Amino acid sequence: MASVAATIAQTLKAYDTKYFFQVTGGDQALWIALEEAGIQMIPCRSEKGATYMADGYARMSGKPGFVYGQYGPGVSNVAAGLADPYWSMSPVVSLTTSMRTPSRDRYEYQELDQLPLHTSLTRWNKTVARPERAAEMLRGAIRAATGAIPGPAHLEIPSDMLRGETDAVPIYKEPPFGHIPSLRTAPPPEAVTALMDALLSAERPVLIAGNGVLLSEAWDEVQKLAEALSLPVATSMGGKGSIREDHELSLGVIGRYSRKVANDIMRECDLALVIGCRLGGHVSDSWKVPPPSTRILHIDIDTNVLGATYREEISVQADAKLALQALVKEALNRGLSIERTAWARQTTERVLTWKEEVQRLASRPPEEPIHPAAVISALRAALDPMDIVAADTGYMGAWTGAAFPVTAPGRHYIRAAGSLGWAFPASLGAALGAPGHHVACVTGDGGFGYHLSELETALRCHIPILVVVLNNRTLAFEYHEQKYNHHNHVIPYVNDFVDVDYSMVARAFGAQGHRISDPRELPDRMREALQTDGPTLLDVIVDKEVHAPVTSYERVLTRNI
């Protein structure tokens, strides 16, 4: 006989699970079983923070990130945090308890109907009905989370069932699953031929690489195909890192949060080869980049996204890595090794000019307010190419997406897909998922306020992290929206915060903290932070009037970067 809690813990162990993220509830049998199985629990200060940590861990490690919520409000808090991993196709498994079976439907304290909370946020959403099926159902959740189309899964277990015993069941791992990518689909040979013919017929082609390229670990193939065909490469925010951004063929990020030069080039292309990207409203700036008249060749593992937003000339359901490998092989078979075309050379020159403009903006005199570009430039200089940046949504995503160049291909940049406050707890999970690499969190004073209590988690769990807070004492996106798009109808009490010195907050927790108002301090403070073995927070006072590289104000302002 074995307890259900032990069966769950041993199944997790079979999948090489190292961490379990949680806010400790009343399910002591599970904590004891996890400890006995040698799985390290990371007790957090909120369930939503724990969910974001599991997400950051999953994105960096490629393994499932497991998060727990106790029945009732704990589960609802976990569910509230699943939107970002859902949007980012991150293999997070929500492993929750539900009301004890003898107390169900009797108005017991904290009882909720929990499966509906997860319905729109998961790829798989089930409950354990019988004790002997616990291991089987857990494997099902892991299979769904790490399948060909990865994403969050939810498994709930009645709380009293954890303490129950059942006959011993086989404990094993299903070999294809437990890590992404798992299963791959190759493109049909005739589709590869058609794609290559179309690419060669274009005068101004561009490759758009999305999150699917990184999920498939296909960055080497992106560079090989781009170099063989002289293809400039743009990326979505989620696809940033599909090609190193100091490569001569890299255009950078396109869309609403973007490099202006990349959007401009995309408007001029006559064909886009889109790989692992949904072409949604954010990456296409509401379906204007590329223009609707552009010839679209689309490769994605998910047939639901093919043709969903643009009329496509060729649509291919395939894994990004296998499709790119087939295209590279096709180019070799045809003897193609195209010299840099005039189009490619022109795009390279335009990107270099854009970079010079960003550097000019970053080089303000020290007596002027710090420009956010100066902070991003200093961070790039402080980090090694293989180190990791985790960025919040909004202006933080825009500044890092456009101005922080990823200089090694692969998953070295992760960002919130829409959830403000995600970056700090996610960066803690990322640090656990990428041991041996520095992790820097870039957030604003608005985003950091969501989960600053997780500083205590970082200290208690000995997680080294650099937190850079770009502090303008306001929700600047809201402020600039009102200023530029609503005829300067600014509502200060909606936007503005009191001047909180977050470096003092960090020191009150016991972490290192420094407030910076002189940009000349940035290099030394960042280097010092990266040499410490615990969390360090830099509260950087930046110019409130500077808006980020977004398309939101192009109707009324001339955009420079």
Side-chain angles (χ1 to χ4, degrees):
M1 301 288 286
S3 72
V4 172
T7 298
I8 290 168
Q10 291 303 320
T11 301
L12 292 175
K13 191 68 174 178
Y15 280 86
D16 304 313
T17 302
K18 189 171 183 180
Y19 299 107
F20 190 89
F21 301 90
Q22 70 195 90
V23 172
T24 305
D27 295 307
Q28 306 303 328
L30 183 57
W31 316 143
I32 293 168
L34 290 171
E35 183 184 48
E36 290 177 346
I39 295 171
Q40 183 177 347
M41 288 170 277
I42 306 294
C44 305
R45 300 305 296 265
S46 75
E47 290 91 354
K48 200 171 184 183
T51 305
Y52 291 163
M53 287 187 210
D55 184 15
Y57 175 81
R59 294 197 207 186
M60 292 313 307
S61 69
K63 298 168 62 177
F66 294 94
V67 61
Y68 158 88
Q70 187 186 20
Y71 59 79
V75 175
S76 66
N77 290 337
V78 168
L82 288 175
D84 230 87
Y86 179 78
W87 290 324
S88 298
M89 302 171 69
S90 180
V92 171
V93 176
S94 168
L95 183 62
T96 71
T97 54
S98 57
M99 178 53 63
R100 300 175 299 277
T101 49
S103 301
R104 288 196 173 187
D105 303 316
R106 302 180 73 180
Y107 302 101
E108 177 59 280
Y109 179 60
Q110 296 186 331
E111 182 176 13
L112 284 176
D113 187 4
Q114 297 170 174
L115 289 180
L117 298 176
H118 286 78
T119 299
S120 64
L121 297 162
T122 58
R123 303 195 60 80
W124 190 94
N125 183 24
K126 307 287 183 181
T127 189
V128 178
R130 294 183 60 83
E132 65 269 19
R133 297 194 63 196
E136 170 196 340
M137 296 297 287
L138 181 52
R139 286 193 297 272
I142 295 169
R143 188 164 58 247
T146 60
I149 305 172
H154 172 230
L155 178 64
E156 72 168 18
I157 305 166
S159 182
D160 57 312
M161 191 181 290
L162 289 170
R163 299 187 300 274
E165 291 192 341
T166 182
D167 291 336
V169 297
I171 302 295
Y172 60 91
K173 173 183 178 180
E174 294 177 312
F177 305 103
H179 195 283
I180 57 172
S182 54
L183 302 179
R184 299 181 183 270
T185 301
E190 62 273 16
V192 175
T193 301
L195 288 167
M196 185 59 70
D197 289 342
L199 283 165
L200 296 176
S201 71
E203 294 182 2
R204 299 180 303 281
V206 170
L207 190 157
I208 301 176
N211 184 40
V213 169
L214 295 179
L215 293 173
S216 186
E217 301 179 349
W219 43 84
D220 289 341
E221 288 77 12
V222 166
Q223 180 171 325
K224 288 177 182 177
L225 184 66
E227 290 176 345
L229 301 185
S230 191
L231 275 174
V233 178
T235 76
S236 67
M237 286 283 288
K240 185 177 172 74
S242 297
I243 189 169
R244 69 176 201 272
E245 291 178 305
D246 57 355
H247 192 286
E248 61 179 336
L249 290 170
S250 172
L251 303 179
V253 169
I254 59 172
R256 289 184 192 144
Y257 303 172
S258 59
R259 295 180 176 181
K260 180 181 184 297
V261 64
N263 277 3
D264 289 345
I265 289 168
M266 285 304 310
R267 291 187 184 99
E268 299 170 21
C269 77
D270 61 357
L271 180 144
L273 172 63
V274 184
I275 305 175
C277 177
R278 296 165 176 161
L279 287 178
H282 199 279
V283 67
S284 67
D285 192 22
S286 299
W287 305 283
K288 299 189 293 287
V289 180
S293 60
T294 307
R295 298 167 62 195
I296 302 292
L297 317 178
H298 198 173
I299 301 169
D300 202 282
I301 195 67
D302 186 355
T303 56
N304 291 320
V305 308
L306 298 174
T309 59
Y310 280 79
R311 181 175 181 176
E312 298 177 1
E313 184 173 312
I314 302 175
S315 304
V316 180
Q317 192 258 336
D319 169 75
K321 191 178 188 77
L322 294 186
L324 284 162
Q325 287 176 344
L327 285 168
V328 171
K329 184 177 179 180
E330 180 74 7
L332 291 173
N333 290 342
R334 297 193 190 196
L336 297 174
S337 183
I338 299 172
E339 295 294 325
R340 294 292 177 267
T341 61
W343 164 247
R345 291 196 302 271
Q346 179 196 117
T347 63
T348 299
E349 292 167 3
R350 291 165 70 178
V351 170
L352 287 173
T353 300
W354 178 89
K355 290 179 178 179
E356 290 169 359
E357 177 63 13
V358 174
Q359 196 55 46
R360 184 188 69 78
L361 292 173
S363 302
R364 281 182 170 182
E367 61 271 13
E368 294 185 16
I370 298 176
H371 196 290
V375 184
I376 303 304
S377 177
L379 184 63
R380 176 65 282 172
L383 295 174
D384 290 334
M386 300 296 287
D387 289 338
I388 296 147
V389 165
D392 235 327
T393 191
Y395 273 10
M396 301 305 106
W399 278 117
T400 55
F404 182 87
V406 172
T407 54
R411 182 76 80 176
H412 308 297
Y413 172 86
I414 57 176
R415 100 295 181 215
S419 304
L420 188 62
W422 172 92
F424 177 48
S427 68
L428 301 182
L432 295 174
H437 300 287
H438 296 300
V439 176
C441 165
V442 179
T443 186
D445 48 317
F448 187 63
Y450 276 76
H451 298 290
L452 61 82
S453 61
E454 300 298 351
L455 274 168
E456 190 274 335
T457 305
L459 285 159
R460 174 170 30 86
C461 297
H462 308 288
I463 304 174
I465 196 80
L466 167 60
V467 183
V468 181
V469 179
L470 276 67
N471 189 348
N472 48 26
R473 291 148 289 188
T474 191
L475 292 170
F477 214 148
E478 300 301 309
Y479 165 55
H480 293 143
E481 277 282 339
Q482 295 164 10
K483 181 177 180 179
Y484 297 123
N485 289 336
H486 293 272
H487 308 291
N488 204 34
H489 191 143
V490 176
I491 312 174
Y493 74 86
V494 170
N495 307 326
D496 292 348
F497 302 122
V498 298
D499 184 11
V500 176
D501 186 337
Y502 288 102
S503 69
M504 293 180 65
V505 173
R507 292 197 297 273
F509 272 94
Q512 297 292 315
H514 306 280
R515 175 165 266 206
I516 298 174
S517 57
D518 186 334
R520 291 173 294 189
E521 293 184 51
L522 287 167
D524 288 343
R525 289 301 188 190
M526 287 182 177
R527 281 195 293 269
E528 290 171 6
L530 295 172
Q531 293 169 2
T532 64
D533 58 1
T536 297
L537 185 146
L538 303 182
D539 186 39
V540 185
I541 306 304
V542 296
D543 192 343
K544 175 181 177 179
E545 298 302 324
V546 175
H547 62 81
V550 297
T551 61
S552 305
Y553 322 117
E554 289 183 337
R555 183 175 56 85
V556 294
L557 293 177
T558 299
R559 183 179 171 193
N560 294 322
I561 62 169

